[in-house]
Amino acid sequence: MKRTKVIDALKCTAYGSDINVKGWVRSKRGSKGIFFIALNDGSTIKNIQIVGDDANFDEETLKRITTGACLSVVGKLVESPAAGQASEIQATSIEILGDCDNTYPLQKKGASWEYLRTVAHLRPRTNTFGAILRIRHNMAMAIHTYFHEHGYFYFHTPLITASDCEGAGNMFQVTTKNLYDLKKDEQGKIIYDDDFFGEQTSLTVSGQLEGELGATALGAIYTFGPTFRAENSNTPRHLAEFWMIEPEVAFLDQEELMDLEEDFIKYCVKWALDNCKDDLEFLNKMIDKTLIERLEGVLKETFVRLPYTEGINILQEAIKNGKKFEFPCNWGDDLASEHERYLVEEHFKKPVIMTDYPRSFKSFYMKQNQETADGGSVGYKGAVAPGPTMQGTDVLFPSIGEIIGGSVREESYDKLMAEVKRRDMDMTHLWWYLDTRKYGSCPHAGFGLGFERLILFVTGMQNIRDVIPFPRTPRNAEF
Ligand code: 4AD
Ligand code: MG
């Protein structure tokens, strides 16, 4: 007999017909010689109930139906008398596909998140992680669909690279060299000419620079792949390996970039509400009672578009009125997450797209705002800043902080090179990037969305380690 998935069996109304389902036992209970099994096969958060008469099964089989065991059940599909489920199965035969003894680590309900991370190989079998992982899949589908429908091409950028996009230097090296016997020059610097690629290479921190090559040829592209950061950030928002979505678009200006950021996030959130109803309802009940309300709220909000300089003014005003922050926030300081959260959660109470950041802590490739004679600059909608600024446009979200980092790109070769000089950057490995500004340069813009940060928002989970199947963080690469 052909197996029916639990999600289909629960919808099926062909009562009286025989059916075969396979899955893992979530629980078994019995009363007056009748047993009830909650069986789940991962196709849905919902279990199907298997009902049977102890008398029809041998004792040995009944003993082996334990929490976590894998079963194949044949029986009759019947309308369920129990509330909250349409159908159940009256079992006629049960085959044990895989036994599960009492050392099974998911025996007890209510295990802590920390404990579940130590059994990451099994935690996808829990209700919560099943829900998160189905939502994660759905978000990937939403992303591909959004860009496909809007005429973007999926562009594959390399994971191994000889350049550092963000210039932050926190990259993982890729080498086949014998680390115990490194060839070095007189100054003690490693020579890579005998390494696999003949030069020093690393895992990419972002596909943006190659993405720009795609955009300046195909018009609009997006990447969606893993990126790697060797930053020693042990926070609930950072992974060493995370997935990033990076659209890059020719002829897009600052305002249109912000439109894209807002429209794209809303599309993804709406997709979750439309396609992940059962899983969201479960998370709303078990994890975060305001989850669905918050997701619906985002769809209704118009995101605030806020120049950094105005943001600093708001923060300074708050300090004057008694608000205490741990870190300073004077003009020129990078915002700490407490500042971002104050703006988003307390001041505006909605998502904020912050723009026109000081040049000092943003990346070299961002479009430079027009400078004024007194050393200031003019940015978004004529807003004046006391120092040089760039058209970075980050999206800040409630409870997440930065969810998107983006910018208009500096398209002028001369301005870009002036910035490179100011930073004393070595551009030997980026000669091809500079070519985009030499040959038919065009205005363009793009952003990077941290996939796991989006999943955090959509699931209401608190720790980024719990929205990716196998998290990679400092001192942890198990599974
Ligand atoms: O702000 P970031 O560093 O921007 C870039 O890499 C640009 N090159 C993107 C672009 O314009 N194409 O990273 C982008 C986003 C952040 O806003 C955040 O959501 C996520 O990537 N992110 C991380 N997510 C998890 N763990 C980390 N360690 C992350 N670092 C960044
Ligand atoms: Mg950033």
Side-chain angles (χ1 to χ4, degrees):
M1 192 187 294
K2 199 167 168 282
R3 168 204 169 209
T4 303
K5 284 190 181 182
V6 168
I7 190 169
D8 299 321
L10 287 169
K11 283 187 218 141
C12 183
T13 51
Y15 300 125
S17 57
D18 283 336
I19 191 167
N20 171 225
V21 292
K22 297 179 184 176
W24 294 269
V25 177
R26 280 294 161 81
S27 64
K28 180 181 175 235
R29 61 191 172 86
S31 143
K32 297 180 194 139
I34 307 289
F35 64 81
F36 302 88
I37 302 166
L39 199 73
N40 187 286
D41 69 356
S43 59
T44 162
I45 186 93
K46 293 184 174 151
N47 305 322
I48 193 154
Q49 176 155 277
I50 314 291
V51 187
D53 194 333
D54 283 351
N56 298 337
F57 297 86
D58 64 86
E59 214 171 298
E60 182 58 23
T61 303
L62 290 175
K63 249 199 253 156
R64 290 168 64 198
I65 303 172
T66 52
T67 298
C70 187
L71 311 183
S72 172
V73 177
V74 174
K76 192 184 288 188
L77 189 77
V78 296
E79 208 166 348
S80 175
Q85 53 191 35
S87 49
E88 59 182 40
I89 296 171
Q90 283 176 353
T92 47
S93 80
I94 295 178
E95 184 190 347
I96 315 278
L97 299 178
D99 287 288
C100 188
D101 69 16
N102 60 12
T103 62
Y104 183 48
L106 299 179
Q107 209 90 246
K108 282 194 227 84
K109 287 202 158 96
S112 70
W113 303 120
E114 288 79 9
Y115 171 72
L116 288 169
R117 276 171 224 145
T118 68
V119 290
H121 58 310
L122 296 169
R123 68 178 184 172
R125 296 192 199 177
T126 63
N127 281 328
T128 303
F129 284 92
I132 293 165
L133 295 175
R134 279 184 296 271
I135 291 172
R136 193 179 158 101
H137 158 81
N138 267 281
M139 287 297 93
M141 292 300 114
I143 286 156
H144 284 300
T145 309
Y146 178 89
F147 288 121
H148 182 67
E149 281 178 352
H150 287 78
Y152 289 63
F153 300 103
Y154 184 22
F155 190 70
H156 295 104
T157 52
L159 298 190
I160 300 174
T161 174
S163 52
D164 180 357
C165 171
E166 290 303 305
N170 42 25
M171 304 179 83
F172 291 102
Q173 287 197 46
V174 174
T175 181
T176 53
K177 281 168 85 86
N178 176 357
L179 297 180
Y180 295 101
D181 184 21
L182 292 170
K183 199 165 134 189
K184 293 181 184 166
D185 67 12
E186 276 128 44
Q187 282 91 50
K189 273 182 81 179
I190 299 167
I191 301 169
Y192 287 92
D193 62 357
D194 64 340
D195 201 355
F196 188 93
F197 295 105
E199 58 183 328
Q200 187 179 7
T201 50
S202 309
L203 294 175
T204 190
V205 295
S206 159
Q208 178 197 323
L209 301 187
E210 291 91 350
E212 287 186 49
L213 309 181
T216 54
L218 304 173
I221 62 93
Y222 71 104
T223 72
F224 185 0
T227 46
F228 308 87
R229 302 220 176 160
E231 48 195 348
N232 205 350
S233 306
N234 246 316
T235 83
R237 306 274 172 270
H238 289 87
L239 290 166
E241 177 180 290
F242 65 99
W243 288 64
M244 187 149 54
I245 297 95
E246 297 185 273
E248 192 69 35
V249 193
F251 317 116
L252 204 70
D253 67 18
Q254 191 177 19
E255 189 82 61
E256 291 165 327
L257 173 63
M258 292 194 252
D259 290 343
L260 174 65
E261 292 176 341
E262 181 165 347
D263 189 54
F264 171 64
I265 294 194
K266 286 180 172 172
Y267 183 93
C268 293
V269 170
K270 183 166 187 321
W271 184 288
L273 286 164
D274 290 347
N275 295 280
C276 309
K277 196 165 167 284
D278 291 346
D279 288 322
L280 285 178
E281 276 171 3
F282 174 82
L283 295 173
N284 195 77
K285 198 166 100 198
M286 305 302 289
I287 306 289
D288 177 351
K289 300 268 187 293
T290 60
L291 174 63
I292 292 179
E293 189 188 310
R294 204 165 53 243
L295 297 181
E296 286 168 346
V298 160
L299 298 185
K300 289 186 213 125
E301 301 291 8
T302 302
F303 297 5
V304 177
R305 299 184 181 191
L306 181 76
Y308 165 90
T309 304
E310 275 179 45
I312 289 291
N313 291 342
I314 293 170
L315 292 166
Q316 304 255 319
E317 194 59 35
I319 292 170
K320 257 192 230 149
N321 293 327
K323 176 80 193 168
K324 296 261 183 297
F325 292 114
E326 188 183 341
F327 297 100
C329 56
N330 299 308
W331 200 94
D333 292 336
D334 197 354
L335 295 186
S337 84
E338 56 175 348
H339 305 131
E340 295 175 345
R341 295 185 70 158
Y342 174 80
L343 291 170
V344 172
E345 292 165 22
E346 293 181 50
H347 187 81
F348 290 108
K349 299 193 168 65
K350 51 179 158 174
V352 170
I353 309 183
M354 185 168 272
T355 189
D356 293 341
Y357 286 90
R359 192 167 66 192
S360 52
F361 61 86
K362 284 295 187 187
S363 300
F364 76 99
Y365 50 69
M366 293 188 182
K367 187 173 176 70
Q368 300 157 30
N369 278 321
Q370 200 200 326
E371 291 188 28
T372 52
D374 60 357
S377 59
V378 183
Y380 183 61
K381 290 192 170 161
V384 176
T389 53
M390 301 173 115
Q391 291 184 16
T393 55
D394 289 1
V395 181
L396 312 178
F397 248 51
S399 79
I400 307 293
E402 181 190 326
I403 192 165
I404 277 183
S407 79
V408 182
R409 319 304 187 190
E410 181 53 69
E411 85 254 26
S412 150
Y413 181 82
D414 292 339
K415 284 191 186 165
L416 187 65
M417 284 315 285
E419 189 59 30
V420 161
K421 266 211 198 84
R422 247 194 308 268
R423 294 174 188 230
D424 201 17
M425 286 173 66
D426 174 12
M427 294 302 272
T428 354
H429 287 287
L430 287 176
W431 62 271
W432 45 269
Y433 183 73
L434 296 175
D435 269 5
T436 53
R437 273 62 171 176
K438 276 190 205 156
Y439 304 123
S441 188
C442 72
H444 61 288
F447 67 77
L449 167 85
F451 189 50
E452 286 73 20
R453 296 207 183 160
L454 174 70
I455 309 297
L456 276 177
F457 181 73
V458 170
T459 58
M461 295 294 290
Q462 295 297 315
N463 195 311
I464 202 162
R465 293 165 178 80
D466 300 328
V467 295
I468 187 167
F470 307 107
R472 297 290 176 255
T473 50
R475 312 199 60 78
N476 175 36
E478 209 169 11
F479 308 108

